[in-house]
Amino acid sequence: MVFARLNNVSFTYAYSERPVLQNISVTLAEGLLYGVIGTNGSGKTTLCQLLRGIVPFFHDGELEGDVEVLGKPLLDWEESMLATSVGCVFENPFTQISGIKETVFEEIGFGLENLGIERDEIFRRVEETLDELDLWKLAHKNPNDLSGGQRQKVAFGAIIAMDSPAIVIDEPTSQLDPEATEMIFDAIERLKSRGKTVILAEHKIDHLARVADRLIVLHDGHLVQEGAVRDVLTGSELARAQMPTSEIVAVSRGLAQAPALTRDEFHARLRDEEAIA
C-alpha cells in the first residue's frame, strides 16, 4: 500500500523567487519509517508540510506536479479530515501548543476532545501517553509556563494520543537533552512497531540509522536519493548532498566487514573481530 506519491512536484512560497522543492518524484509506502535528511535549506520542512497538507493549505504558494496522500489527490482532501489521518509534530513547539488549555493533561487530550472522543477513552489515551513519555510530573502544569524542550515533549505526546495511522515529525528533538532525545526516539520506534507510517526529518543521523527503514536525501530542493538506510549511509550520494555519514559508519569503515549502522551492530562487530584475533 502507498502512503504518498509525488510526481514532478515543485513548490514556491508566495514570498520567494525560487522553488524550495524542485521536481520531486518519490513514492512512500505505508507502514515504514522514512528519515528525511539534508542541510539547512534543503527543503526538509517543506516536504514534511506538503505531506501533511500544511503546504499549500496554510502557506500560500505555487504547487506544481501531482501529490497524492492515502490514495487521494492532496488538493481533494478537506484539511480537517487530512488532520485526523496524518498527525504532525512541528519543529517549533511554541506554534503547536494550543494556548487555551490550563494543564498538560488537558493539552494532550485537546485534539481527542475536538474529535468527539468519549471522555473515558480520552483519559485512557492521555494517561498512556503520560506514562510513555514520562510526563506525569508535568501533567498539572500550565503548558504556557513550560520550557521549549518540555513543550516539545508535550506537543509530541498530543500527536501520539491522537493515534493517527500516519505521523509527520519535523525535528522533534531539536530542543531536548540526550536523555529526552533517547526517550523520544524510543517512542518513535514504538510507533513504527505498531504499523504507523512515520516521516521523520532529523539531523541526528546516528539515531535515524537505528529507527528508520529508508532515508530521503534532499539538497537545495532536489531529491538526491531515496533508499534503504544502509545503502544511503554507506554510499556516495551523501557527499553530493554535502552531508556527512553517521559517526558509527565513519568509525566502523575500518572493519573487515561492511560498515556498522548502529552502536549495537558496531559493538557486535568488535566482539567478532576480537574473537577471530
Side-chain angles (χ1 to χ4, degrees), residues 139-161:
H140 300 293
K141 291 185 177 296
N142 190 315
N144 298 305
D145 296 334
L146 301 181
S147 68
Q150 289 171 331
R151 289 186 185 213
Q152 202 160 29
K153 288 180 70 175
V154 171
F156 185 69
I159 295 302
I160 287 181

Side-chain angles (χ1 to χ4, degrees), residues 221-235:
H222 295 278
L223 176 66
V224 174
Q225 186 178 12
E226 185 279 322
V229 174
R230 184 176 299 279
D231 293 341
V232 173
L233 293 186
T234 61

Side-chain angles (χ1 to χ4, degrees), residues 36-81:
V36 183
I37 62 176
T39 57
N40 290 335
S42 62
K44 299 189 302 297
T45 292
T46 302
L47 178 62
C48 287
Q49 292 182 342
L50 180 66
L51 293 171
R52 169 56 181 77
I54 295 170
V55 167
F57 294 141
F58 291 101
H59 292 302
D60 289 338
E62 182 181 0
L63 177 64
E64 300 177 69
D66 300 315
V67 183
E68 184 180 284
V69 177
L70 295 173
K72 182 188 296 187
L74 178 63
L75 297 181
D76 288 352
W77 278 94
E78 291 184 16
E79 202 284 326
S80 60
M81 294 300 298

Side-chain angles (χ1 to χ4, degrees), residues 24-36:
I24 302 288
S25 293
V26 66
T27 298
L28 309 181
E30 286 187 320
L32 297 183
L33 196 160
Y34 288 86
V36 183

Side-chain angles (χ1 to χ4, degrees), residues 116-259:
I117 304 296
E118 292 185 2
R119 180 182 175 87
D120 288 348
E121 176 65 9
I122 292 176
F123 272 64
R124 183 188 70 79
R125 292 200 203 177
V126 172
E127 288 170 354
E128 286 183 353
T129 301
L130 292 172
D131 283 335
E132 186 167 6
L133 297 180
D134 191 26
L135 285 172
W136 275 106
K137 58 184 175 294
L138 300 179
H140 300 293
K141 291 185 177 296
N142 190 315
N144 298 305
D145 296 334
L146 301 181
S147 68
Q150 289 171 331
R151 289 186 185 213
Q152 202 160 29
K153 288 180 70 175
V154 171
F156 185 69
I159 295 302
I160 287 181
M162 292 284 286
D163 199 28
S164 302
I167 303 176
V168 176
I169 309 173
D170 186 12
E171 300 283 355
T173 65
S174 60
Q175 301 189 46
L176 301 183
D177 60 28
E179 182 179 357
T181 293
E182 288 291 341
M183 180 176 293
I184 292 296
F185 270 92
D186 287 344
I188 290 172
E189 197 163 20
R190 286 191 291 272
L191 291 173
K192 171 184 168 180
S193 71
R194 296 171 195 162
K196 306 291 186 185
T197 304
V198 181
I199 313 300
L200 172 59
E202 179 58 72
H203 283 292
K204 296 168 184 173
I205 296 180
D206 284 323
H207 286 81
L208 278 179
R210 174 166 67 90
V211 302
D213 296 300
R214 301 181 71 82
L215 292 177
I216 297 169
V217 185
L218 299 176
H219 179 62
D220 197 27
H222 295 278
L223 176 66
V224 174
Q225 186 178 12
E226 185 279 322
V229 174
R230 184 176 299 279
D231 293 341
V232 173
L233 293 186
T234 61
S236 60
E237 293 300 301
L238 281 181
R240 190 157 67 90
Q242 299 179 8
M243 286 288 294
T245 189
S246 76
E247 292 181 1
I248 298 298
V249 169
V251 170
S252 67
R253 284 193 186 277
L255 298 176
Q257 302 174 9

